[in-house]
Each structure stands twice: as C-alpha cells, then as structure tokens.
C-alpha cells in the first residue's frame, strides 16, 4: 500500500488494484486544427499538460498500475450519438462534420487519435466513449471488475467536463479516485480550479487531488 500527501487528506492505494485513466488526450481537443480550436478555444492550455501526462504514464507503468486511455468518439454512422448532442451549440461545424483533421469526433479519423506523446503502448486498453463520462456506453465497468480494480488515478481533459463526469461516475460506483492536478486542464483555467474545489470539498465528496510530485513520492503505508 502506498500513501500520497493529498487533498483533503492522505490517499492510500495498492498499485496492483489501481488503474490510471487518461481521458481524451486526443488531437480533436488538444491540437491546432482540432475540434477544440475550431470552437475558438486556446488549445495551448491543454497542450501544456502533455509532458506531465507523459511523466505520469511513465510512473504508472513502472509502478505496475493498469493503464486505460479514453477517446470521445462516435461510430461513423453516428448511431451512438444522441440527437440532442448533435444539435447542441448550433455549430456550423460539429460532430460528424468534416474538419481539418477529418470528421469530428468520429472513430478512425486523424483528429480522434491520441496525441503520440501520451499514446497507448501495446496491451493498454483504449476505450471509445460516446458520452462525457468513461463509464456510460462502454465496457469500462466490466473491465475494472475483471481486473479487481478498486482505485483510479485520473488525468486528462477537460477538467470540468469529461474528467469531472468520469470521476462522479466512478465515485457513484464505489471507486476511490485521485485526480493529479498538473495532468488535467481546461480551456478556462478558472473552471479547472472550480472543479478541483468542488470535487475535493466536504472531506473529498467525489475524490482526492494531489500534485504529480506527491504521487511520485508516495510512501509505503
């Protein structure tokens, strides 16, 4: 068992029963020319965490933690995309439409690929999720049960949307979760801070958070 100096108090986990979930580190959200940039966002804010996510992945692999990657991705016929999601935002170029990096948020398109610096290694699970959370409409829950996973370390983008949704889904399913602060980001930095405050409030109502240095410096319990 390892103990991490975290908020709101120490986070204790067994690497053998822990998974790292890297959420939506894909070109669509992070790269110039991706969906996020088309929406007018400053994608450099998300791209800035790539080195920290790469460092976290390297640590987790060395610690024997199970690695899971997610992508927000839809089938080419969009049959797994609710009409409400397609209509949301009144976008001129939206989900399924052709963009500079192929069809937006569609499986197999260049924009849907995970950034190579933080991409999966052979044998690491990649989950295509049709919603914001990693549990909805996916086999994540079954996979975690099969692996006897009880704890999740989470990173990725964006903090207040897909990351927070996944953490809330996980919390409701009984998982003990840690969000690593330098490895998550938002197009709106104050949204990230607000999400961190909400998630860890009231004694960790949803999850714990820590710095990457604190996680790497975890001590044996």
């Amino acid at each position: 068992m390892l103990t991490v100096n975290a908020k709101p108090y120490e986070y204790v986990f067994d690497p053998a029963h822990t998974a790292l979930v890297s959420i939506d580190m894909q070109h669509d959200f992070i790269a110039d020319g991706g969906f996020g940039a088309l929406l007018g966002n400053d994608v450099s804010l998300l791209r800035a965490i790539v080195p920290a996510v790469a460092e976290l992945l390297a640590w987790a692999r060395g610690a024997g933690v199970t690695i899971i990657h997610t992508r927000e991705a839809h089938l080419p016929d969009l049959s797994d995309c609710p009409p409400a999601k397609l209509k949301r935002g009144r976008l001129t170029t939206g989900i399924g439409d052709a963009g500079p990096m192929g069809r937006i948020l569609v499986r197999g398109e260049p924009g849907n690929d995970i950034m190579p610096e933080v991409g999966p290694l052979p044998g690491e699970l990649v989950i295509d999720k049709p919603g914001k959370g990693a549990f909805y409409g996916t086999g994540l829950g079954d996979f975690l049960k099969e692996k006897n996973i009880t704890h999740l370390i989470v990173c990725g983008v964006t903090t207040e949307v897909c990351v927070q949704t996944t953490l809330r889904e996980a919390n409701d399913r009984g998982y003990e979760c840690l969000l690593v602060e330098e490895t998550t980001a938002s197009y709106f930095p104050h949204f990230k801070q607000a999400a961190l405050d909400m998630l860890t409030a009231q004694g960790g109502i949803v999850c714990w958070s820590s710095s990457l240095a604190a996680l790497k410096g975890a001590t044996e319990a």
Side-chain angles (χ1 to χ4, degrees):
M1 302 293 287
L2 296 177
T3 299
V4 182
N5 184 14
K7 300 173 187 174
Y9 54 88
E10 294 83 3
Y11 179 78
V12 181
F13 70 102
D14 180 351
H17 297 287
T18 300
L20 169 63
V21 184
S22 180
I23 297 176
D24 298 359
M25 294 293 293
Q26 60 203 73
H27 290 91
D28 276 323
F29 299 132
I30 299 173
D32 292 326
F35 188 33
L38 285 179
L39 293 174
N41 296 301
D42 180 1
V43 295
S44 70
L45 294 169
L46 272 57
R47 196 162 54 243
I49 70 167
V50 169
V53 173
E55 185 177 347
L56 175 59
L57 283 164
W59 170 86
R61 288 164 180 147
V65 170
T66 297
I67 309 295
I68 301 166
H69 305 261
T70 77
R71 297 179 292 215
E72 186 171 350
H74 293 284
L75 296 169
D77 65 2
L78 303 183
S79 59
D80 60 350
C81 187
K85 185 177 181 181
L86 284 174
K87 295 176 183 177
R88 192 71 50 83
R90 298 180 176 178
L91 304 175
T92 55
T93 306
I95 296 170
D97 293 333
M101 306 187 78
R103 294 180 68 204
I104 293 170
L105 296 185
V106 170
R107 295 186 190 186
E109 297 290 334
N112 209 228
D113 287 342
I114 295 171
M115 301 287 285
E117 303 95 322
V118 292
L121 297 183
E124 294 179 351
L125 179 65
V126 179
I127 290 178
D128 288 323
K129 58 184 185 65
K132 306 305 182 188
F135 287 85
Y136 169 72
T138 75
L140 177 58
D142 291 337
F143 176 83
L144 296 176
K145 288 178 183 177
E146 290 171 5
K147 293 286 188 179
N148 198 22
I149 299 297
T150 57
H151 289 61
L152 301 178
I153 298 171
V154 177
C155 66
V157 299
T158 63
T159 314
E160 77 280 10
V161 184
C162 294
V163 172
Q164 180 172 204
T165 302
T166 297
L167 286 165
R168 291 182 181 276
E169 287 181 326
N171 182 63
D172 284 347
R173 288 162 173 79
Y175 294 97
E176 303 271 42
C177 301
L178 175 73
L179 178 58
V180 183
E181 295 162 3
E182 303 97 317
T183 66
T184 185
S186 170
Y187 299 122
F188 311 98
H190 59 292
F191 285 3
K192 172 183 174 176
Q193 189 57 55
L196 286 167
D197 291 343
M198 286 188 289
L199 292 166
T200 60
Q202 301 180 73
I205 194 168
V206 174
C207 71
W208 287 256
S209 73
S210 82
S211 68
L212 179 55
L215 176 59
K216 293 178 69 176
T219 58
E220 291 190 9

